[in-house]
Amino acid sequence: MTRQLGALLVLLVAAPAGGLNMLDGVRKLLLKRDSAFLYQEKALFMPGANARTEAAAKTACASGDRAAILKAVDDLEAVCVADDFLDTDAARLDGRWRLLATVAGRKPGDDLENMGRANAVNASGLVLDTSEKLPIQAFDVARSRVANEIGFDAFGGCTVRVSGGFRRGANGRRADVLFDNLEVFGSGDKRLFSAGWVFSLINAVKPDLRGEGGEAWLETTYLSPTMRCGRGNKGSVFVLEKTDEPCALDPAAF
């Protein structure tokens, strides 16, 4: 099958300009393929490369080494850069993603390899250590909401969830995010309190922490059914793995 497709592509590209009108038309159509088609084609013909690179990325993330994590992100982006999926199939972002590793920056242009903080999340200036437990990032595309859930062993076990709305950003891979709520859940996963005023205070005191229009942003640079990589407005990088684990928090909605 692959050999036949290759022969057809050669025929289409090599056909003389004065050749069959049908071939000429198909050739022009192929040359004008959009980014989504190119993404799908590359993912289709390189499943082995994707799987190997994702496996290597998981190993690098488990090491906690900043340089190894950054190289893993570069390697995944080289295998298959994400298309403008927010414009064509935003549902691919939906669901729950477990954070395998992150290198957090504090401002754009930070030298992450030498200055970045491994396994920490910067949510509009609220920097949380994620080394104790792997956090979850959840997207509810239908409601245009995103949340980060981070568990801690302190106080007998608790979970902090920061959430907010998102919308399409400067391109079809970038989501502009405006965090608006912070919730704390106790050991029984019941919500103890909610403090949306935290982000109102941060935005008022440190407006430079926000992106244009008041939002932070997260750009997905690699996306497969099982793994996702992203880069944030502070220069931070993220590697996440899709999980079917349901949300145990009450309430689950964010």
Side-chain angles (χ1 to χ4, degrees):
M1 181 66 178
T2 302
R3 186 176 301 173
Q4 292 171 336
L5 287 173
L8 176 60
L9 290 174
V10 171
L11 176 62
L12 291 172
V13 174
L20 296 175
N21 291 335
M22 183 179 71
L23 288 178
D24 190 55
V26 173
R27 178 176 59 189
K28 290 179 180 179
L29 180 63
L30 288 174
L31 292 175
K32 293 180 179 180
R33 292 173 297 184
D34 61 20
S35 62
F37 189 91
L38 286 171
Y39 170 82
Q40 293 165 7
E41 180 191 58
K42 194 169 184 181
L44 175 65
F45 286 109
M46 299 182 66
N50 286 13
R52 289 192 297 271
T53 308
E54 288 188 8
K58 290 183 69 172
T59 300
C61 292
S63 73
D65 181 75
R66 287 181 306 197
I69 295 169
L70 294 172
K71 182 180 184 303
V73 173
D74 289 340
D75 289 346
L76 286 167
E77 293 171 347
V79 167
C80 192
V81 66
D83 64 310
D84 289 339
F85 63 93
L86 289 176
D87 295 331
T88 58
D89 189 10
R92 286 160 55 194
L93 189 64
D94 215 16
R96 295 170 62 78
W97 300 81
R98 187 178 302 282
L99 184 68
L100 298 180
T102 179
V103 181
R106 293 188 175 273
K107 62 182 185 300
D110 273 356
D111 180 0
L112 294 184
E113 188 165 344
N114 295 307
M115 299 172 56
R117 181 176 175 183
N119 296 325
V121 173
N122 187 342
S124 295
L126 189 64
V127 180
L128 299 174
D129 189 342
T130 64
S131 58
E132 290 185 15
K133 295 183 180 180
L134 295 176
I136 293 289
Q137 184 173 81
F139 274 91
D140 185 339
V141 172
R143 296 175 55 242
S144 298
R145 298 286 293 178
V146 59
N148 294 327
E149 303 167 7
I150 306 173
F152 299 95
D153 292 329
F155 308 111
C158 66
T159 300
V160 175
R161 180 168 69 189
V162 293
S163 59
F166 77 91
R167 64 184 182 184
R168 184 195 188 278
N171 58 56
R173 300 174 303 280
R174 181 177 295 184
D176 288 345
V177 180
L178 184 61
F179 289 105
D180 55 28
N181 198 20
L182 181 149
E183 301 165 276
V184 176
F185 298 79
S187 56
D189 292 327
K190 297 288 186 179
R191 185 168 62 190
L192 301 178
F193 65 87
S194 177
W197 57 267
V198 170
F199 288 105
S200 297
L201 178 62
I202 290 175
N203 292 336
V205 175
K206 295 281 290 183
D208 57 304
L209 292 172
R210 301 171 296 179
E212 295 181 6
E215 301 93 350
W217 54 257
L218 173 64
E219 183 162 328
T220 297
T221 56
Y222 174 88
L223 179 62
S224 79
T226 54
M227 188 169 284
R228 177 165 63 91
C229 292
R231 295 178 183 269
N233 60 298
K234 294 299 177 186
S236 303
V237 299
F238 310 86
V239 183
L240 306 100
E241 182 178 41
K242 194 70 174 285
T243 176
D244 294 327
E245 177 184 322
C247 179
L249 302 179
D250 183 16
F254 51 87

